[in-house]
Amino acid sequence: MSGVEVITFGCRLNTYESEVMRTEAEKAGLNNAILVNTCAVTGEAVRQARQAIRRARRDNPHARIIVTGCAAQTEKKAFADMAEVDAVLGNEEKLKSASYRALPDFGVSAEEKLRVNDIMSVRQTAPQMVKHIDGHVRAFIQVQNGCDHRCTFCIIPYGRGNSRSVPMGAVVDQARKLVESGYREIVLTGVDATSYGADLPGEPTLGLLAKTLLKQVPDIRRLRLSSIDSIEADKHLLDLIADEVRFMSHLHLSLQHGDDMILKRMKRRHSSADALAFVNDVRRLRPEMSFGADMIAGFPTESEAMFANAVRLAEEANIAHLHVFPYSPRPGTPAARMPQLDRVLVKERAARLRATGHRLHQSHLDGMVGTQQWLLVENNGLAHTENFTLVAAVGLAPRSFVQAIITGHNGKHLDMQLTAADAA
């Protein structure tokens, strides 16, 4: 192979950073290299990364393989000990051109492979400028990194460090560059995006940032948030939901559970009533709003009654896009030391919660039939509605906006009939 190939796991922030990594590695003159940007959110994500590294080495025996990302930050020695790996870079180092110029030679020891600093010592997030996001019609912008909260199940703060925000002006500049490159939908992303601004002068909020973006970059056609913690939602964000048509009618919530005792043991800051109140308040402001959510099944000490409360919250909140994670103990987290459930039971409850999510999604699809929607066409023969529902759009040009009537669905995505086209 030649050039730089990037293999990305995990969140939208990783997707954005992978583009930065590619740019910085090429700037450093790196060639014949594979960068693996890992995720640490579950044990399965780490397993998949290790599997991909072994496969990459089999397929490219002479390439240099550099591993980075959250799993490399939290489990650096495990990756350095892999014979297939030539170097391990931390989450801070992966974004710097100098890191790729200072890589060790092939065949060095595990200790010489390591380029991983103390992520907790990082106090600022430097703005990163990219002109495009490879393979994506929607563009992601990093507005925040790290997390100051210590949920008992989560290893990510130890991979990302403490919360730090990108200055508002730099975010505006990045959005303007992406719009000039042809992107019309922007997604603001971070590890804990709703904590945005607490470390900046004047303490601007995520909602104020979004308002400012839409005012100063008027050619943004659509603006989304990747994920939010509803307990941190601010007045500016609620104003956007109520009044700004360019702010899309979909929010992805970090719910995690629906039982108050489990939420306390997770060290979450909201109750089930808080979550439901937020959903109801938002729907009063914008009735067409759809919600996605992350939920964990089989958390330590979870009883059948507690699990039933998680199912109940998903149903009462009418979560259209439910992402279910079977609890995965992460070494070094408090939850890993709590009384664990049998793995068979964990998987069984995750399957039941997924079945609830599937039923809610089918109901959401049913409710979309007969409506008129604006669609942004993707690269894969699909499009997204404003409320983030997939629609079949075979043969339509990527990045184009079309207006359509939803005529039905196949259980996975909507079917449509074009009514008009927008040349923008």
Side-chain angles (χ1 to χ4, degrees):
M1 62 172 290
S2 62
V4 176
E5 177 186 346
V6 184
I7 301 172
T8 305
F9 292 90
C11 62
R12 292 182 178 91
L13 180 55
N14 257 14
T15 299
Y16 177 82
E17 289 179 336
S18 285
E19 205 56 51
V20 177
M21 287 163 49
R22 185 197 309 276
T23 300
E24 296 303 313
E26 290 175 347
K27 189 188 302 181
L30 196 64
N31 191 31
N32 189 28
I34 299 171
L35 313 183
V36 183
N37 198 7
T38 64
C39 173
V41 71
T42 64
E44 175 63 15
V46 177
R47 188 194 68 80
Q48 289 177 2
R50 293 172 68 88
Q51 187 179 56
I53 291 164
R54 294 188 183 100
R55 184 168 54 248
R57 175 56 73 212
R58 287 196 304 270
D59 295 343
N60 303 277
H62 303 298
R64 178 170 285 187
I65 295 180
I66 299 110
V67 180
T68 185
C70 289
Q73 184 76 44
T74 60
E75 302 181 33
K76 58 187 178 183
K77 186 177 186 306
F79 284 99
D81 285 340
M82 293 181 69
E84 297 87 353
V85 173
D86 296 299
V88 179
L89 298 182
N91 261 333
E92 183 73 3
E93 289 78 10
K94 72 181 184 182
L95 304 175
K96 298 176 179 178
S97 182
S99 300
Y100 299 100
R101 286 193 294 268
L103 288 173
D105 293 331
F106 288 87
V108 297
S109 69
E111 289 74 19
E112 291 173 292
K113 293 179 183 181
L114 288 171
R115 299 289 189 274
V116 181
N117 74 351
D118 175 12
I119 196 69
M120 293 300 179
S121 69
V122 180
R123 292 289 178 260
Q124 292 182 320
T125 289
Q128 305 288 342
M129 293 293 174
V130 299
K131 293 183 179 179
H132 73 282
I133 311 294
D134 189 47
H136 289 267
V137 164
R138 294 174 291 129
F140 308 117
I141 299 179
Q142 177 191 17
V143 302
Q144 181 272 344
N145 204 340
C147 185
D148 289 339
H149 312 301
R150 295 296 181 263
C151 297
T152 59
F153 57 84
C154 187
I155 196 69
I156 297 305
Y158 306 99
R160 288 285 181 176
N162 293 312
S163 181
R164 49 210 190 271
S165 308
V166 178
M168 191 178 295
V171 177
V172 171
D173 289 344
Q174 173 68 101
R176 190 172 287 118
K177 287 181 184 297
L178 288 165
V179 167
E180 289 171 354
S181 295
Y183 290 95
R184 292 296 178 264
E185 180 170 316
I186 302 293
V187 183
L188 304 184
T189 185
V191 175
D192 180 27
T194 32
S195 70
Y196 176 83
D199 57 324
L200 295 177
E203 299 188 0
T205 61
L206 181 66
L208 180 60
L209 171 65
K211 274 186 178 179
T212 303
L213 270 179
L214 290 170
K215 180 179 181 180
Q216 296 196 15
V217 192
D219 287 337
I220 295 175
R221 182 76 173 262
R222 290 177 162 186
L223 184 67
R224 294 190 192 274
L225 306 179
S226 61
S227 180
I228 69 166
D229 195 337
S230 61
I231 205 72
E232 294 179 316
D234 65 284
K235 181 183 181 300
H236 292 293
L237 184 57
L238 295 175
D239 288 345
L240 285 172
I241 291 167
D243 302 326
E244 177 54 75
V245 295
R246 291 181 294 160
F247 187 84
M248 293 295 94
S249 53
H250 172 262
L251 292 173
H252 189 84
L253 308 177
S254 180
L255 289 184
Q256 308 307 343
H257 213 275
D259 180 82
D260 287 343
M261 180 56 71
I262 292 294
L263 287 168
K264 286 182 180 179
R265 289 172 181 165
M266 288 179 164
K267 211 174 178 181
R268 300 293 294 166
R269 291 166 298 140
H270 67 269
S271 66
S272 57
D274 292 332
L276 192 57
F278 176 78
V279 167
N280 290 335
D281 287 346
V282 168
R283 284 204 172 106
R284 277 192 289 271
L285 295 173
R286 190 179 291 194
E288 69 272 23
M289 182 71 71
S290 76
F291 290 91
D294 294 329
M295 296 190 81
I296 296 172
F299 187 80
T301 77
E302 180 190 76
S303 67
E304 185 63 29
M306 292 169 172
F307 173 73
N309 285 335
V311 174
R312 186 177 302 112
L313 178 62
E315 292 174 336
E316 290 183 359
N318 194 19
I319 302 298
H321 311 277
L322 187 62
H323 294 186
V324 176
F325 297 86
Y327 171 74
S328 174
R330 308 302 291 126
T333 61
R337 300 190 294 272
M338 296 179 185
Q340 304 292 305
L341 301 188
D342 183 85
R343 295 306 302 170
V344 173
L345 179 58
V346 171
K347 292 179 181 179
E348 186 267 339
R349 284 184 179 167
R352 286 161 57 193
L353 190 53
R354 286 192 185 106
T356 297
H358 177 74
R359 176 167 48 81
L360 292 170
H361 188 60
Q362 298 309 297
S363 177
H364 170 72
L365 295 177
D366 289 343
M368 296 285 289
V369 176
T371 64
Q372 184 168 290
Q373 301 287 330
W374 279 102
L375 314 177
L376 173 60
V377 181
E378 309 277 348
N379 289 321
N380 54 3
L382 295 171
H384 274 107
T385 65
E386 293 181 349
N387 67 8
F388 206 60
T389 307
L390 282 173
V391 184
V394 177
L396 298 180
R399 294 196 187 186
S400 63
F401 279 98
V402 296
Q403 196 175 43
I405 296 292
I406 304 303
T407 58
H409 68 83
N410 67 356
K412 294 183 179 180
H413 54 69
L414 299 168
D415 299 316
M416 59 86 175
Q417 180 178 340
L418 292 178
T419 59
D422 186 346

